[in-house]
Amino acid sequence: MTQPESNGGGHVLPTPAEHLSSPRTRAVLRVQQRLLAAAREYLVGEQGCMELLPPIIGPVTDPGARGAKQVDIDYYGRTYKLMTSGILYKQAALLGFDRIVNVAPNVRLEPLETASTRRHLAEFHQLDVEIAHASRDEVMDLAEGLLKHVVRAVVDDRAAELELLSRDVAALKEVVNGGFDRRRHADVVAQVRAGGYEQSPDAEIDWHAEASVSEQAVRPFFITDYPKGSRGFYDRESETEPGVLRNFDLIVPEGYGEIASGSEREWDYRRIMTRLRETGENPAKYDWYLDMVRAGIPASAGFGIGVERLTRYLTGVDEVWQASAFPKVPGVFSA
Ligand code: AMP
Ligand code: MG
């Protein structure tokens, strides 16, 4: 009845009864519950965000989840998608409210090899934030404030759980001891390449390189300015540096890696059409979104934090599936 520490590359999961009756799982989920409450205290209570319930299905979804397959459903004879992320609806939500947050389920059929990264699920949740008229730096400040608030709440109110899980609380407390560095993608690539690793300058920092920069850090930090082509069409391109996106990832230390991605967004109809075509998307599929954009949406910036990845970091569990009550690991047939 004991929960395995590692599922050996994602291939054996405990039954729901084994998983949920484990004191470790219950401690992890109590940390997750405090995380979610703290995020709402900060975002809704202090930052004036409006919480909306996110949609789960729609005619199109985020095409930016590279390598992951989307899931089709038969919607009264039309093919609809399960959300891989709520980005299109986050932009839409700003037509009603200037500052929004939602906790959204995402389904991504990630490639089978991700079963052994310890950080990929086929179903996970994002804590999604979008702020009208904000700049990238403003939402990075918001993400930093949010993470510090969540860490303080968990360290203060879930001390017994962290002890049961043998989490190194001193390492966690480092989060609040200073500002988060901001490093450009090109500089991180140069650093990784100087260490002898062949990281492509035109792509996301790959998992191996990300793990090593994360291990070297003592505090979370941002990587900014990813190259166009590495991200979805909705991340805004710099006006002064063509080919560079006004976006960021938030990396946590101790090897846990990326927990959030965010950006300033494209809002101009013509630029969005160009970017859609550049990424090989068929604009005809996006009719509701493009009609909305043509009529006018606000400029914005926002981010999405993976709830299970953040829970894993806070609790120090080996694998991200341990941070889910009902885990779905890519390729593994579980409840
Ligand atoms: P993305 O915009 O694709 O980077 O997704 C935003 C955040 O969601 C990431 O920074 C992760 O924290 C989380 N995330 C993305 N894909 C997965 C996955 N397959 N399993 C668990 N968390 C994920
Ligand atoms: Mg990302």
Side-chain angles (χ1 to χ4, degrees), residues 123-203:
E123 179 185 47
F124 63 98
H125 295 79
Q126 279 195 54
L127 183 68
D128 261 327
V129 176
E130 197 70 21
I131 310 287
H133 311 297
S135 68
R136 176 180 64 185
D137 283 21
E138 285 165 341
V139 292
M140 285 197 292
D141 288 344
L142 188 65
E144 180 172 334
L146 171 63
L147 184 55
K148 287 179 172 172
H149 184 89
V150 166
V151 165
R152 270 193 211 99
V154 165
V155 166
D156 288 349
D157 299 341
R158 292 293 183 270
E161 285 79 3
L162 296 180
E163 195 184 332
L164 185 147
L165 293 162
S166 307
R167 179 66 172 109
D168 178 352
V169 176
L172 210 47
K173 282 182 174 164
E174 266 307 313
V175 173
V176 295
N177 281 343
F180 297 0
D181 282 348
R182 295 168 189 207
R183 302 161 60 186
R184 287 173 58 96
H185 175 271
D187 297 336
V188 175
V189 169
Q191 176 206 331
V192 168
R193 290 176 72 91
Y197 186 74
E198 281 299 309
Q199 166 67 45
S200 161
D202 304 319

Side-chain angles (χ1 to χ4, degrees), residues 204 249 258 261:
E204 291 253 30
D249 274 1
E258 173 196 332
S261 290

